[in-house]
Amino acid sequence: MSKVRTGVGVALGVAVLAVGGSVLWGVVRRGPAASPVAGAREAAGFVAEQGAVPQPPHPDPLPGGEGTLEREGVRVAFSLTPLEGGTEVYAGRPATATFTLTDARTGEPLQGQRPFAWMTPRKGAGPEDEKACNALVREFLGGTLTRAAEVNMNAYLVVTLNHDNTLSVINPQLAFARTKLLTLISLAGTPADWVLHPSQDELFLTLPGANRMAMVDTVRFRARGSVQVGKEPTRIALSPDGRTLVTGNDGDGTLSVLDARTREVRQTLRVGPGHHELAFAEGGRSLWVTSTQGEEVHVVDVADAAVVARVPLEKAASSVAASEKAGAVYVASPQRGELVVLDVRTRQVARRLSLEKGVDRVGVDPEGRWLFALNRTRGTATVLDAATGQVRHVVKGLRAPDAVSFTRRYAYLRGAGQHQVVLVELASLSAAGKVVTLDVPITQKPASQARGVGIASPIVPLPEGGGVLIAGPADEALYFYQEGLMAPSGTHRNYGREPRAVLVVDRSLKEVRPGIYAATVRPGQEGVYDVAVLLDTPRMALCFEQRVGSGRAVARKGPPVELTPLFDTKQMLAAGREAELRFRVRDAATGQPVPADEVQVLLVRPPGTWHRRAVPRALGDGTLAVSFTPPTPGQYQLLVGTRAPASPIGKVPPISLGVAGQRTKEAVP
């Protein structure tokens, strides 16, 4: 059964929680296996599909009937669709919550709305009338300790890139001081750089020590394996359409071009020796690559995955940035002390802007108007007009400035050798008079005292605007700063790990199609949930009822998968020598191969005194592989399972591995 209860009188915001108004009331009933309303599947497909980008078509008008409510000329529908397929929603599994808003008379979608929504297990009878529905929404808006929603569709999650091989996933709750560590994600190596897919469903990282690019599922927050690229991949970039990934491989002077959907390497290109920096231009049609030991900028045609131009610089470059507004690419040349301006149309040097020797990092604000050139040696940040190249201001007194980030109002400058973050008001750059800057003490220790400062951005804007999150690696902490204050308004300790960079995974409702607002949720328990939504225009509070299954009902009996080794199980392996173990995992019922990101692998020496987890690699045709270096002679076991509850590690019979050879330094306890 599905119910809808509505009320009017809950205003957006926390200060004013209710105003007078007429009452809307309606009840609709829906069977547990009923199909979702029109548009729900499209929204679920958008959220789940890797590589999808928002290019919404005009949807069909939402039909009346089941799951809909029509009042005051507005038709509203809610549905919860399993992300992994099927019709039933189960506890602990991701699903897509969809609110579809249409004009009741014309069927046209209501675009540009800002609905707020929450889900929480029902306590007692639930909201039976409009007054109770309004009260429930007030509680969620106020963030009371007694009734915090289990699922907040207006929230975001924070991820930190740590100094070791982990990522911290943090859930900001009622206030930043109560922040909760949601999980730690272990990778196959220490990450250097990362990029989040536009769909917010997947995170790509470089692992220089492993010569691989790793993938992390940001819906389920778990590692999805890795792909071998060039040697020592460091920088990573993703085209604006979310289709093409590139890694700059500093160890062999190459660039790996990958399909973001299949994760397959399309092409490996020679782009010069040394460290590489990357910038997309022309709406993502071209990629501009610099190298610290080369004297050319390589221009890559993204569609063809080919180098189409080499622009000579005379000296090596350390940084690159692009401005779509100015139609230019800017390259920092520390040895010459200049910014080289490249015309994206002619792919030639347009002009050279003389600054000071040591300028080694360049950044452009999101509007493409202002150019910031950082000089770590001299402790300055030069601000230029991106269109004219005119110097507008020089910020002095910085200690090793190494990063610049932007919000709508400010540029944030981090100096690795100082406690303060310097804010530059962007509006003041074009106004007559002195440029407005503000020094805000943030960290207790400067970043330079950490084991490493990293290259990914240590400052990221908050989704709601008006503030940033700042990584303090030497403090092993994360700081929340709200614009207008003179100190951080919250701190989160990172459990002994140094956060070198930070990003935000936005879980709030998004308009994924015209009039269709969706978010990924994960109900935590079985039973009946109250789903409350607050609309802005017209102002209405709506309360839905949603049943969630236990998840145990879908578990199958018997061995759910079949494991087939593709190597000679009788052949002895050598201690201290890496071996590649290939195998296939197939669904016992359908015979279809299980994807690599669903497979878990554990290597054990009985009775369990030594064990290692391994991340399987997909080799094509359903073949998977893991690398195994046995530390000592003896008998080992290869255990394989899947993440589904029907086939955990230990249910499928293990494969025995014999190891011979001399004892190595990694001794078994």
Side-chain angles (χ1 to χ4, degrees):
M1 180 177 66
S2 175
K3 298 180 180 179
V4 180
R5 306 179 181 91
T6 69
V8 174
V10 184
L12 284 173
V14 178
V16 181
L17 296 179
V19 296
S22 60
V23 174
L24 298 185
W25 172 252
V27 176
V28 296
R29 301 184 183 274
R30 174 164 51 95
S35 299
V37 296
R41 287 294 182 188
E42 290 83 350
F46 171 81
V47 174
E49 181 185 359
Q50 301 298 333
V53 291
Q55 295 178 350
H58 190 290
D60 294 331
L62 183 69
E66 295 184 343
T68 65
L69 175 70
E70 182 179 318
R71 291 292 187 275
E72 292 193 355
V74 176
R75 187 176 296 167
V76 182
F78 164 72
S79 68
L80 197 62
T81 307
L83 197 61
E84 298 171 341
T87 58
E88 293 293 328
V89 177
Y90 294 104
R93 301 190 180 185
T96 300
T98 306
F99 298 89
T100 305
L101 311 180
T102 56
D103 185 288
R105 183 179 61 84
T106 65
E108 290 294 312
L110 298 181
Q111 303 183 53
Q113 303 294 307
R114 293 194 61 191
F116 286 67
W118 305 263
M119 275 184 71
T120 198
R122 171 163 295 175
K123 293 182 179 180
E128 292 294 337
D129 54 25
E130 73 282 356
K131 183 178 180 181
C133 183
N134 285 344
L136 183 64
V137 172
R138 290 192 196 99
E139 290 181 4
F140 292 156
L141 280 172
T144 63
L145 288 170
T146 57
R147 194 67 183 275
E150 178 187 286
V151 177
N152 188 343
M153 287 175 254
N154 323 297
Y156 58 87
L157 297 175
V158 178
V159 186
T160 65
L161 185 152
N162 300 326
H163 75 282
D164 53 13
N165 67 327
T166 65
L167 307 177
S168 301
V169 183
I170 299 165
N171 182 13
Q173 292 181 327
L174 304 181
F176 199 81
R178 295 178 53 84
T179 300
K180 177 183 177 182
L181 179 67
L182 185 65
T183 187
L184 280 174
I185 301 173
S186 295
L187 304 171
T190 302
D193 195 16
W194 57 5
V195 62
L196 184 64
H197 194 274
S199 66
Q200 304 257 326
D201 289 342
E202 192 163 22
L203 182 63
F204 303 97
L205 308 98
T206 52
L207 307 178
N211 300 332
R212 306 187 72 82
M213 181 199 73
M215 295 84 69
V216 169
D217 182 338
T218 52
V219 175
R220 302 162 182 85
F221 280 108
R222 64 191 188 199
R224 300 193 62 172
S226 59
V227 176
Q228 185 169 5
V229 288
K231 189 176 181 180
E232 297 179 23
T234 304
R235 276 296 189 190
I236 187 170
L238 180 65
S239 60
D241 63 6
R243 300 179 184 274
T244 302
L245 276 164
V246 291
T247 64
N249 308 316
D250 296 354
D252 57 13
T254 66
L255 182 83
S256 295
V257 184
L258 302 94
D259 186 306
R261 187 186 302 268
T262 66
R263 292 93 170 178
E264 294 179 352
V265 178
R266 295 172 53 199
Q267 196 62 261
T268 301
L269 307 173
R270 290 284 174 186
V271 289
H275 173 67
H276 303 92
E277 291 287 329
L278 316 169
F280 283 98
E282 301 178 282
R285 294 189 299 274
S286 63
L287 174 74
W288 301 65
V289 186
T290 62
S291 58
T292 55
Q293 297 178 26
E295 297 182 356
E296 293 178 320
V297 175
H298 289 70
V299 186
V300 177
D301 183 281
V302 175
D304 295 336
V307 176
V308 293
R310 293 176 175 85
V311 185
L313 294 178
E314 300 179 11
K315 291 291 183 180
S318 61
S319 182
V320 62
S323 169
E324 296 290 344
K325 186 173 184 178
V329 170
Y330 307 89
V331 177
S333 178
Q335 297 178 36
R336 294 179 63 95
E338 65 183 13
L339 287 181
V340 183
V341 184
L342 310 179
D343 188 297
V344 298
R345 184 179 58 84
T346 63
R347 294 170 181 169
Q348 294 180 354
V349 175
R351 60 184 179 274
R352 297 176 182 269
L353 306 177
S354 180
L355 299 178
E356 292 181 308
K357 286 188 176 182
V359 57
D360 60 355
R361 183 142 307 279
V362 59
V364 178
D365 78 296
E367 298 296 325
R369 171 71 190 280
W370 303 110
L371 185 67
F372 285 73
L374 309 185
N375 191 318
R376 274 183 280 195
T377 302
R378 299 185 179 274
T380 61
T382 303
V383 185
L384 304 94
D385 188 306
T388 65
Q390 179 185 1
V391 175
R392 299 301 298 264
H393 189 68
V394 178
V395 181
K396 299 180 179 180
L398 303 173
R399 298 179 185 175
D402 65 341
V404 57
S405 298
F406 300 92
T407 63
R408 185 179 60 84
R409 295 182 58 193
Y410 294 98
Y412 286 73
L413 302 173
R414 190 200 55 183
Q418 64 192 55
H419 308 275
Q420 300 86 359
V421 171
V422 177
L423 281 64
V424 179
E425 188 179 50
L426 297 176
S428 69
L429 294 173
S430 56
K434 188 177 180 180
V435 172
V436 177
T437 62
L438 182 66
D439 292 6
V440 180
I442 298 292
T443 62
Q444 298 178 23
K445 300 177 183 177
S448 58
Q449 294 185 15
R451 280 167 279 196
V453 295
I455 61 171
S457 178
I459 304 174
V460 63
L462 296 173
E464 65 267 24
V468 296
L469 293 167
I470 302 172
D475 295 341
E476 298 178 349
L478 191 65
Y479 296 93
F480 167 63
Y481 171 72
Q482 187 175 355
E483 291 177 352
L485 302 180
M486 290 304 298
S489 54
T491 305
H492 173 62
R493 295 294 172 185
N494 201 29
Y495 300 91
R497 293 173 170 84
E498 295 183 359
R500 294 182 175 176
V502 60
L503 61 77
V504 168
V505 179
D506 194 352
R507 284 283 177 262
S508 58
L509 284 167
K510 295 291 189 300
E511 189 172 10
V512 296
R513 299 285 189 270
I516 300 177
Y517 303 83
T520 301
V521 301
R522 189 194 299 268
Q525 63 187 60
E526 64 177 305
V528 178
Y529 275 73
D530 287 316
V531 182
V533 61
L534 175 64
L535 303 184
D536 185 18
T537 307
R539 288 175 178 166
M540 293 192 299
L542 302 92
C543 290
F544 294 79
E545 179 184 274
Q546 176 69 46
R547 293 189 177 275
V548 174
S550 68
R552 294 186 295 270
V554 298
R556 294 175 294 179
K557 297 181 179 180
V561 297
E562 296 175 348
L563 172 63
T564 304
L566 301 180
F567 59 93
D568 186 355
T569 58
K570 297 180 180 180
Q571 182 178 354
M572 298 293 288
L573 305 179
R577 182 178 299 175
E578 184 179 82
E580 184 180 68
L581 306 178
R582 298 189 178 191
F583 54 92
R584 287 195 180 99
V585 182
R586 295 186 181 275
D587 187 291
T590 66
Q592 295 298 312
V594 179
D597 60 333
E598 293 294 328
V599 175
Q600 297 179 318
V601 177
L602 185 66
L603 292 152
V604 178
R605 181 174 182 181
T609 54
W610 181 96
H611 68 275
R612 292 288 185 274
R613 288 196 176 270
V615 179
R617 306 185 302 274
L619 303 181
D621 192 30
T623 300
L624 305 179
V626 296
S627 297
F628 172 45
T629 305
T632 61
Q635 288 294 319
Y636 293 78
Q637 289 182 343
L638 171 67
L639 291 90
V640 177
T642 67
R643 301 182 186 276
S647 55
I649 284 180
K651 189 155 189 175
V652 179
I655 298 174
S656 296
L657 306 170
V659 177
Q662 298 297 317
R663 195 174 186 86
T664 65
K665 292 182 179 180
E666 187 181 358
V668 176

